[in-house]
Amino acid sequence: MRILITNDDGYLAPGINALIEVFAPIAEIAVVAPDSNRSASSNSLTLERPLFVIQAQPNVYHVNGTPSDCVHIALTGLLPWKPDLVVSGINQGQNMGDDTLYSGTVAAATEGYLFGIPSFAFSQVAKGWGELQSAARVAREIVLRKFDEFPKPFLFNINIPNLPYEKMRGLRATRLGKRHQAEGVIQMTDPFGRAMYWIGPAGTAKDGGEGTDFHATENGYVSITPLQIDLTHQEQLAILKKGLA
Ligand code: MN
């Protein structure tokens, strides 16, 4: 089994190193990850400047680009082999509901998926790396399930509660919940009197009901949501077709 490992928190982040520790003994791995924290970079590719790939260790590379850049470069020329799986994470902090649109962790897995490779995005619900080893153990177990009967490729978004392994209640197949509108931008003044802005926190769960990723993780389960990328609004397409006829 050959696994491409990546993330959006940067190649030195504890989360990616936890993945390397659990997958290196059981698979041929390559690590291609951003050289710094590129969280919330979504599916962006860097086209306005060149990208440099630095080898930090055998099979570990960092790139001055986004998570999508890393996977794209890995799959289109850097690696001498095509991975069987792409594994992204483990992210510091949840990627649930609408977060998935902004997430670099999910975007990296999406890039693998778009190249036809089964891909996994792993995130811990809370920041701070609490119970990271438990999360890595869960990640290994999920990947080893192989999902042989599952349609390929697939894109799994996985959120893991920060609980000791024994306290986790199992795996739940979920749909994405929804968040309330994000909180307001935070305005400050710089030393020169200029207004500056920080993007505020994401909203709290608006649809966190039974069956959602929010609900599963709140109740101690590991949430697995199969994602798709086609954004077409089928219902509105039908209405639009009629309206334009
Ligand atoms: Mn991140």
Side-chain angles (χ1 to χ4, degrees):
M1 184 164 56
R2 287 166 161 165
I3 303 178
L4 170 61
I5 298 176
T6 187
N7 75 348
D8 78 351
D9 294 331
Y11 81 108
L12 292 174
I16 196 168
N17 284 295
L19 287 182
I20 294 168
E21 272 173 35
V22 294
F23 288 120
I26 59 170
E28 184 172 355
I29 64 164
V31 179
V32 185
D35 60 2
S36 59
N37 192 332
R38 305 301 297 263
S39 293
S41 55
S42 191
N43 298 89
S44 60
L45 290 174
T46 302
L47 304 177
E48 79 285 4
R49 59 179 174 82
L51 295 167
F52 295 94
V53 178
I54 310 274
Q55 185 165 12
Q57 293 167 43
N59 302 317
V60 178
Y61 303 89
H62 54 88
V63 181
N64 61 335
T66 66
S68 298
D69 288 330
C70 292
V71 175
H72 196 92
I73 288 175
L75 299 180
T76 58
L78 179 65
L79 297 185
W81 38 259
K82 184 181 175 183
D84 301 303
L85 304 171
V86 173
V87 176
S88 174
I90 298 172
N91 189 57
Q92 172 165 230
Q94 59 190 255
N95 280 304
M96 301 200 280
D98 316 313
D99 304 336
T100 50
L101 287 175
Y102 301 98
S103 168
T105 306
V106 175
T110 301
E111 193 69 12
Y113 171 75
L114 293 176
F115 277 89
I117 302 168
S119 299
F120 300 80
F122 290 103
S123 305
Q124 281 195 295
V125 171
K127 294 190 176 183
W129 308 115
E131 297 297 342
L132 182 59
Q133 305 314 317
S134 300
R137 187 172 164 189
V138 166
R140 183 181 58 190
E141 279 181 12
I142 290 173
V143 166
L144 287 178
R145 281 187 166 230
K146 291 202 161 73
F147 301 94
D148 282 335
E149 276 96 69
F150 207 81
K152 305 278 182 326
F154 56 77
L155 172 56
F156 285 169
N157 182 45
I158 296 142
N159 284 277
I160 306 171
N162 300 56
L163 293 172
Y165 182 83
E166 303 72 31
K167 290 270 170 68
M168 286 195 240
R169 295 173 68 189
L171 310 179
R172 275 277 165 92
T174 59
R175 62 183 165 83
L176 297 180
K178 285 194 174 57
R179 287 190 186 278
H180 285 284
Q181 217 176 315
E183 289 176 36
V185 74
I186 297 151
Q187 188 180 337
M188 300 167 129
T189 307
D190 82 354
F192 308 100
R194 295 176 299 195
M196 56 183 189
Y197 300 87
W198 285 99
I199 299 286
T204 51
K206 181 182 188 180
D207 172 12
E210 184 87 41
T212 63
D213 42 10
F214 292 108
H215 189 271
T217 53
E218 260 168 37
N219 287 282
Y221 292 94
V222 175
S223 162
I224 308 185
T225 310
L227 300 181
Q228 62 181 353
I229 299 304
D230 183 352
L231 296 177
T232 310
H233 195 309
Q234 296 294 344
E235 268 169 51
Q236 290 190 1
L237 175 61
I239 298 167
L240 185 63
K241 272 185 179 165
K242 270 187 205 160
L244 297 181

